[in-house]
Amino acid sequence: MRDRHLGKMPRGGTTTARYEEDPDNAWNCCSWCEYLLIVILSTILLVGVLILTLFWVMFYRGGFAWTERPLQQFNLHPILMVAGFVTLSGFSILIYRLCRCVKHIYVKLIHMFFHAVAIPCIALGFLSVFDSHNALQKVNFYSLHSWLGFVTMGMFLLQFVIGFFTFLVMLCCENKTYSCRSAMVPIHASLGLANFWLAIATSVTGIIEKERETAKDPNLSAENQLIEHYITSAIGLTLVVIGIIVTFAVRRTNAPASAKVYVTERI
Amino acid sequence: MRDRHLGKMPRGGTTTARYEEDPDNAWNCCSWCEYLLIVILSTILLVGVLILTLFWVMFYRGGFAWTERPLQQFNLHPILMVAGFVTLSGFSILIYRLCRCVKHIYVKLIHMFFHAVAIPCIALGFLSVFDSHNALQKVNFYSLHSWLGFVTMGMFLLQFVIGFFTFLVMLCCENKTYSCRSAMVPIHASLGLANFWLAIATSVTGIIEKERETAKDPNLSAENQLIEHYITSAIGLTLVVIGIIVTFAVRRTNAPASAKVYVTERI
């Protein structure tokens, strides 16, 4: 994700020749503080938004169930989608920023692992809303939220498949696939970030749709509605703050490459 | 925005020494095709979303007015916000991608000009909804959309002021402010992109809030409601496609710098 390869690659060279040194760009106090701040803040927010959604669903939307109670089955949808598209994907993106001293192939594998764990969450989240809508005889793929969600899921799957083949399978022929992998890095990174923001946009639209739906519920007291409104607004705001922090965290520096980074490993 | 400065800067050197050459990275057929595709597609979508919003407001929401008709005054809000935060800001970001043969200081000035034109649009858009809410005795800053909008406006203003001072005013002392400007480039670029996505997320939440509000209107026929639903969904989908294209367009390549780029001019 971060641009370490800033010179030309010595094609066909030995492994030890594949790095560049630049002691000027070593870690200073400022970058350590920023690193720590991002680690702490992003962990709090990524876990916090999941806990907040769980709290909202458990205490204000009646908890969970599977097929026997469709309304409660629907409640799995926000939890699983936030877990898959925001918490797991957010950590997966931040891994490139957080694991600075780990060998790059391990960073890639952890990145893939987090996204792979997100897949069953997303699939179950999709199934829960689909089943619940069918049981309640609601129309599927009608609202803007559902269409945005469809685009988000499609892009996520595309990114996963392309990323898996380009950055892991293609490593079996490291030298020959260098230029292809190199060209794919910025595309995969920028579309990944776009997909993350798309997931956030989809989540906030979903929250607003649900909030407007519950606002019509005559069984809810005005006080409870107000508290629920504050909880859902807090979830929405946390989501966009996460988006801003992740975008900021994975920005690429203008400075030259840092010390001893293996060029081919980085892509 | 795009990383052209990939070597060390020859501090105190003459102006002619401040560039790097790399004929390997010259434009090929593929990059021309991509460039043209992005220019055409982004222009169509950025102008298209504004026309679509105008069409929706004119034909389905009763057109415009100022203080005498609060409901029509509100209609200025989506138009002006989409114009300022999406169309103008989108072109302003893409300028870095589109103007490849223009001197960098002109690109900066055009970038600032587009954002400067967006400011009155945003201010009027904010005033129109504020006035309309007051006249209709609606609560201000209650919904998630309004809070997201508040964050978006705050970040926009911060980015504008910091960008103006860092990348234009600081040029009066070009050599001494080099390291500061260099450090600010990736921060300004990443937060700018985050702000653009935030604007998109805010817009889609606003569209959904308005759509849910009008769905309760008993004067509207079911057919008209359905058409309006499709129009607002189309606006929302166009907005996220714009976000994806802009993020993709301003990605930074992994390849070395292209030919004859003046290093200090780039920041």
Side-chain angles (χ1 to χ4, degrees):
Chain A
M1 193 81 71
R2 291 171 65 79
D3 200 359
R4 306 298 177 91
H5 166 51
L6 297 162
K8 280 194 189 176
M9 187 210 162
R11 280 166 211 255
T14 60
T15 315
T16 46
R18 280 179 182 156
Y19 59 78
E20 293 179 356
E21 280 194 45
D22 187 0
D24 284 359
N25 199 35
W27 275 47
N28 54 25
C29 180
C30 183
S31 56
W32 261 114
C33 286
E34 191 210 298
Y35 176 83
L36 270 179
L37 200 72
I38 284 175
V39 172
I40 294 166
L41 208 62
S42 54
T43 308
I44 291 172
L45 290 173
L46 285 169
V47 176
V49 76
L50 193 61
I51 293 171
L52 206 58
T53 317
L54 210 62
F55 173 78
W56 170 51
V57 164
M58 294 290 281
F59 292 93
Y60 290 87
R61 301 276 98 239
F64 308 117
W66 197 239
T67 43
E68 71 276 13
R69 279 185 294 160
L71 269 176
Q72 273 71 37
Q73 188 185 9
F74 175 87
N75 292 342
L76 283 168
H77 177 69
I79 293 291
L80 290 169
M81 288 309 196
V82 166
F85 275 122
V86 181
T87 307
L88 288 168
S89 296
F91 275 122
S92 183
I93 294 170
L94 284 172
I95 286 297
Y96 276 87
R97 174 79 179 159
L98 308 184
C99 297
R100 290 192 67 144
C101 305
V102 179
K103 218 179 157 195
H104 195 63
I105 185 72
Y106 296 143
V107 178
K108 275 186 187 179
L109 287 171
I110 301 168
H111 180 73
M112 194 208 66
F113 173 76
F114 269 103
H115 278 309
V117 176
I119 290 175
C121 290
I122 294 164
L124 277 174
F126 176 70
L127 264 181
S128 68
V129 75
F130 205 69
D131 262 18
S132 153
H133 272 192
N134 284 347
L136 295 165
Q137 295 188 312
K138 277 187 179 179
V139 189
N140 282 305
F141 292 109
Y142 176 77
S143 70
L144 179 54
H145 167 75
S146 59
W147 282 104
L148 294 185
F150 196 68
V151 177
T152 315
M153 284 195 297
M155 262 186 72
F156 182 91
L157 201 68
L158 209 71
Q159 279 276 96
F160 187 86
V161 172
I162 291 175
F164 181 76
F165 278 98
T166 312
F167 303 116
L168 286 171
V169 175
M170 274 194 186
L171 281 182
C172 64
C173 204
E174 209 169 315
N175 281 332
K176 280 184 184 166
T177 59
Y178 170 78
S179 60
C180 172
R181 285 181 293 127
S182 176
M184 281 302 289
V185 170
I187 296 173
H188 183 74
S190 64
L191 287 186
L193 196 63
N195 203 15
F196 189 66
W197 268 106
L198 189 50
I200 288 171
T202 311
S203 305
V204 285
T205 57
I207 288 165
I208 286 194
E209 279 192 1
K210 191 71 192 164
E211 199 217 349
R212 295 278 148 148
E213 208 179 290
T214 56
K216 287 185 281 184
D217 190 349
N219 299 324
L220 275 176
S221 68
E223 197 196 351
N224 259 5
Q225 270 191 11
L226 193 68
I227 297 171
E228 205 176 328
H229 168 75
Y230 285 131
I231 294 170
T232 50
S233 296
I235 296 171
L237 277 174
T238 314
L239 284 170
V240 300
V241 173
I242 287 170
I244 294 166
I245 287 176
V246 169
T247 313
F248 177 78
V250 299
R251 77 190 182 281
R252 300 203 283 183
T253 59
N254 258 19
S258 61
K260 288 205 177 190
V261 175
Y262 285 86
V263 174
T264 51
E265 264 189 86
R266 288 275 152 203
I267 47 175
Chain B
M1 192 80 72
R2 290 171 66 78
D3 200 357
R4 304 300 175 89
H5 166 53
L6 296 160
K8 281 196 191 176
M9 187 209 162
R11 282 168 212 252
T14 58
T15 315
T16 46
R18 279 176 182 158
Y19 60 78
E20 294 179 353
E21 280 195 43
D22 187 0
D24 283 2
N25 199 34
W27 276 46
N28 54 26
C29 180
C30 182
S31 56
W32 261 115
C33 286
E34 191 210 298
Y35 175 83
L36 271 179
L37 201 72
I38 284 174
V39 172
I40 294 166
L41 208 62
S42 54
T43 308
I44 290 172
L45 290 172
L46 285 169
V47 176
V49 76
L50 193 62
I51 292 171
L52 206 59
T53 319
L54 209 63
F55 173 78
W56 170 51
V57 165
M58 295 290 281
F59 291 94
Y60 289 87
R61 299 277 101 237
F64 308 117
W66 197 239
T67 43
E68 70 276 13
R69 279 184 294 159
L71 269 176
Q72 273 71 37
Q73 189 186 7
F74 175 89
N75 291 343
L76 282 168
H77 177 69
I79 292 290
L80 289 169
M81 288 308 198
V82 165
F85 275 123
V86 181
T87 307
L88 288 168
S89 296
F91 275 121
S92 184
I93 295 170
L94 284 172
I95 286 297
Y96 276 87
R97 175 79 179 158
L98 308 185
C99 296
R100 290 191 66 145
C101 305
V102 179
K103 219 177 156 195
H104 195 61
I105 185 72
Y106 296 144
V107 177
K108 274 185 187 181
L109 288 171
I110 301 168
H111 180 73
M112 195 208 66
F113 174 75
F114 270 103
H115 277 308
V117 176
I119 290 175
C121 290
I122 294 163
L124 278 175
F126 175 70
L127 265 181
S128 68
V129 74
F130 205 70
D131 262 17
S132 152
H133 273 191
N134 285 347
L136 294 165
Q137 294 187 314
K138 277 187 179 177
V139 190
N140 283 306
F141 291 110
Y142 176 78
S143 69
L144 178 56
H145 168 73
S146 59
W147 282 104
L148 294 186
F150 196 67
V151 178
T152 315
M153 284 195 294
M155 261 186 72
F156 182 91
L157 201 67
L158 209 71
Q159 281 276 95
F160 188 84
V161 173
I162 291 175
F164 181 75
F165 278 98
T166 313
F167 303 115
L168 285 171
V169 175
M170 275 194 186
L171 281 183
C172 63
C173 203
E174 209 169 315
N175 281 333
K176 281 184 182 164
T177 58
Y178 170 78
S179 61
C180 172
R181 285 180 294 128
S182 175
M184 282 301 289
V185 171
I187 295 173
H188 183 75
S190 65
L191 288 186
L193 196 63
N195 203 16
F196 189 66
W197 268 104
L198 189 49
I200 288 171
T202 313
S203 306
V204 286
T205 57
I207 288 166
I208 286 194
E209 279 192 4
K210 193 68 194 166
E211 200 217 348
R212 294 278 146 147
E213 210 179 288
T214 55
K216 287 185 280 183
D217 190 351
N219 299 323
L220 275 176
S221 68
E223 196 197 349
N224 259 6
Q225 271 190 8
L226 193 69
I227 296 171
E228 205 176 328
H229 167 76
Y230 285 130
I231 293 170
T232 50
S233 297
I235 295 171
L237 277 173
T238 313
L239 284 170
V240 300
V241 174
I242 286 170
I244 295 165
I245 287 176
V246 169
T247 313
F248 177 78
V250 299
R251 76 190 184 281
R252 300 203 282 184
T253 58
N254 258 18
S258 62
K260 287 206 178 190
V261 176
Y262 285 85
V263 172
T264 51
E265 266 188 76
R266 286 279 152 202
I267 47 174

